[in-house]
């Protein structure tokens, strides 16, 4: 049982770090697309959109928080996933279903599925205490395998949402 706790702890941290790193990079690299998506949400005054860079900065800080705390502190990541889910849900409740989620990659309209995806990511990002027990080679292999499978599942779900919009 210690092995499973150890593998989940580090694999979940790995998944959150990769997702938030890719998200921050995409927002900076394609800032025009991101600003367009932020504008589409109509949750912030237009003047505030000039400081769009705060979002990828917070994502990068969440990554640093996880890495420098060895995975124990994930509060910022969890808060970001909650904020993204709340922004999507707010627009869906307003009847605004045809705006781009701003998730990166292919344009994907917001949906309740994305709210659920962010809720799952929030649960994965919740901070945990470091499990007891020492590192073994098999644990390292299981962490890498589990993390890779988690990222594959994330990519598949995102592609399903993008395809459903076509």
């Amino acid at each position: 049982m210690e092995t499973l706790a150890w593998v989940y702890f580090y694999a979940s941290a790995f998944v959150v770090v990769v997702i938030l790193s890719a998200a921050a990079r995409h927002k900076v690299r394609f800032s025009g697309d991101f600003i367009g998506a932020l504008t589409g949400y109509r949750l912030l005054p237009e003047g505030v959109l000039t400081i769009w860079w705060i979002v990828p900065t917070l994502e990068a800080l969440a990554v640093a928080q996880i890495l420098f705390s060895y995975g124990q502190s994930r509060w910022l990541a969890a808060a970001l996933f909650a904020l993204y889910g709340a922004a999507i849900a707010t627009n869906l409740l307003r009847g605004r279903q045809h705006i781009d989620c701003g998730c990166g990659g292919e344009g994907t309209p917001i949906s309740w599925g994305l709210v659920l995806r962010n809720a799952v990511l929030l649960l994965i990002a919740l901070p945990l205490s470091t499990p007891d027990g020492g590192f073994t080679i098999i644990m390292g292999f299981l962490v890498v395998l589990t993390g890779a499978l988690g990222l594959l599942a994330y990519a598949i779900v995102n592609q399903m949402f993008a395809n459903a919009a076509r």
Side-chain angles (χ1 to χ4, degrees):
M1 194 61 140
E2 272 182 30
T3 300
L4 289 178
W6 201 93
V7 169
Y8 177 78
F9 178 83
Y10 287 105
S12 62
F14 173 73
V15 167
V16 171
V17 162
V18 170
I19 289 171
L20 288 178
S21 296
R25 180 179 166 273
H26 190 272
K27 286 175 180 72
V28 170
R29 189 166 179 214
F30 301 101
S31 59
D33 293 344
F34 178 62
I35 293 168
L38 272 181
T39 303
Y41 276 89
R42 295 185 191 166
L43 294 173
L44 301 170
E46 283 191 39
V48 175
L49 296 177
T50 59
I51 55 173
W52 64 269
W53 50 268
I54 288 177
V55 177
T57 300
L58 287 173
E59 290 172 338
L61 287 172
V63 167
Q65 181 184 47
I66 293 168
L67 293 176
F68 291 115
S69 72
Y70 301 101
Q72 291 181 351
S73 184
R74 306 177 192 189
W75 288 112
L76 183 54
L80 287 171
F81 291 131
L83 179 68
Y84 300 156
I88 294 169
T90 299
N91 274 281
L92 289 171
L93 291 172
R94 290 178 176 172
R96 304 186 69 244
Q97 304 169 28
H98 299 291
I99 60 174
D100 181 30
C101 70
C103 305
E106 294 183 49
T108 304
I110 61 173
S111 67
W112 288 109
L114 288 174
V115 174
L116 178 61
R117 181 202 67 183
N118 283 318
V120 170
L121 290 173
L122 185 153
L123 291 173
I124 291 171
L126 285 177
L128 303 165
S129 59
T130 308
D132 295 330
F135 173 80
T136 65
I137 296 297
I138 194 74
M139 285 180 181
F141 174 75
L142 289 172
V143 166
V144 170
L145 180 63
T146 304
L149 289 173
L151 291 172
L152 178 63
Y154 178 78
I156 289 170
V157 166
N158 283 344
Q159 191 60 53
M160 287 172 43
F161 290 133
N163 289 347
R166 293 178 189 176

